[in-house]
Amino acid sequence: MKDIENILYDLVLPMVENQASLKVQQLESLNEKEIILNVYADNSDIARLIGRQGTMAQAIRQVMMVGSRVLNKKISINFESY
């Protein structure tokens, strides 16, 4: 599933200022029909990725939802700061 990580990484890379600190990691899920992705970045970059009232985070999740339909799995994206 490294492809899903790379797609999300490429999607959020232009949105952050400190690109060296950006990291996307896939976590194991107990549900085989779910993929959990964590986005790690600086505090200010996480705020930018989430956006006001979560609008950017919701848009990122909707874009990734297209890929989830192809894989027939649910993709959960969490945003974490260092």
Side-chain angles (χ1 to χ4, degrees), residues 39-79:
V39 178
Y40 298 99
D42 288 341
N43 198 15
S44 62
D45 288 332
I46 287 295
R48 183 177 290 111
L49 289 175
I50 293 174
R52 291 188 181 193
Q53 298 179 355
T55 55
M56 283 298 288
Q58 187 62 30
I60 292 169
R61 289 181 178 115
Q62 285 180 346
V63 169
M64 294 302 291
M65 199 178 302
V66 174
S68 71
R69 293 180 191 256
V70 172
L71 296 173
N72 197 23
K73 294 186 178 188
K74 178 185 176 199
I75 296 179
S76 299
I77 301 173
N78 302 316
F79 296 93

Side-chain angles (χ1 to χ4, degrees), residues 3 8 15 25 32-33 53 57 66 79 81-82:
D3 295 334
L8 181 59
M15 299 179 197
Q25 183 179 20
E32 63 184 37
K33 293 280 187 178
Q53 298 179 355
V66 174
F79 296 93
S81 64
Y82 287 120

